[in-house]
């Protein structure tokens, strides 16, 4: 149904439903603030959501294929896609910084970030 549902484990109930993505959701990552999450999906955008209010804060766009890999730290959001590229945004402004050339044949299947290195 293309929604992101966040559940409270102990209370066994939904605490937020995030709507706005048009394709299947592939990854969800918590951002350090604990009130923001990062969501990737098929041929759409990477969403930065404030989950308590179910508000979409930022749409990160530019990949030409599904985004299956996400990493985030206090300074950067890094995404990897089957378009064979990695894209980097500054966090928390979500300003786009750069994209790699398409050198990963078959798409980016894993990501690791350590300080300012991907």
């Amino acid at each position: 149904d293309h929604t992101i549902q966040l559940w409270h484990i102990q209370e066994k109930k939904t605490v937020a439903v995030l709507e706005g993505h048009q394709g299947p959701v592939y990854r969800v990552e918590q951002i350090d603030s604990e009130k923001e999450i990062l969501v990737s999906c098929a041929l759409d955008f990477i969403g930065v959501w404030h989950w308590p209010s179910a508000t979409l804060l930022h749409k990160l766009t530019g990949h030409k294929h599904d985004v299956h890999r996400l990493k985030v730290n206090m300074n950067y959001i890094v995404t990897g896609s089957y378009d064979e590229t990695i894209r980097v945004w500054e966090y928390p402004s979500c300003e786009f910084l750069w994209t790699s050339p398409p050198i990963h044949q078959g798409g980016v299947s894993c990501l690791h970030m350590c300080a300012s290195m991907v």
Side-chain angles (χ1 to χ4, degrees):
D1 65 0
H2 306 156
T3 65
I4 298 97
Q5 296 190 27
L6 304 176
W7 291 77
H8 191 284
I9 293 173
Q10 294 169 332
E11 295 179 15
K12 303 175 189 150
K13 68 177 186 177
T14 305
V15 294
V17 177
L18 312 179
E19 300 178 278
H21 289 278
Q22 302 303 309
V25 173
Y26 292 130
R27 293 282 184 270
V28 176
E29 290 283 333
Q30 181 175 325
I31 298 176
D32 193 44
S33 71
E34 296 184 17
K35 296 199 186 283
E36 292 181 7
I37 61 171
L38 191 60
V39 176
S40 73
C41 71
L43 296 175
D44 200 358
F45 59 88
I46 299 103
V48 178
W49 293 84
H50 179 262
W51 68 262
S53 65
T55 302
L56 179 63
L57 302 174
H58 299 280
K59 285 185 177 183
L60 310 181
T61 61
H63 281 295
K64 309 259 188 287
H65 208 293
D66 300 354
V67 175
H68 282 269
R69 301 294 174 246
L70 299 172
K71 289 292 178 186
V72 62
N73 67 19
M74 294 180 66
N75 299 309
Y76 302 105
I77 294 171
V78 180
T79 58
S81 169
Y82 282 111
D83 67 5
E84 303 179 352
T85 67
I86 294 170
R87 295 178 71 85
V88 180
W89 288 266
E90 190 274 333
Y91 181 77
S93 74
C94 294
E95 176 185 343
F96 173 71
L97 298 176
W98 62 270
T99 187
S100 72
I103 57 173
H104 303 281
Q105 293 182 353
V108 177
S109 59
C110 66
L111 275 178
H112 181 74
M113 185 168 38
C114 179
S116 60
M117 227 166 55
V118 176

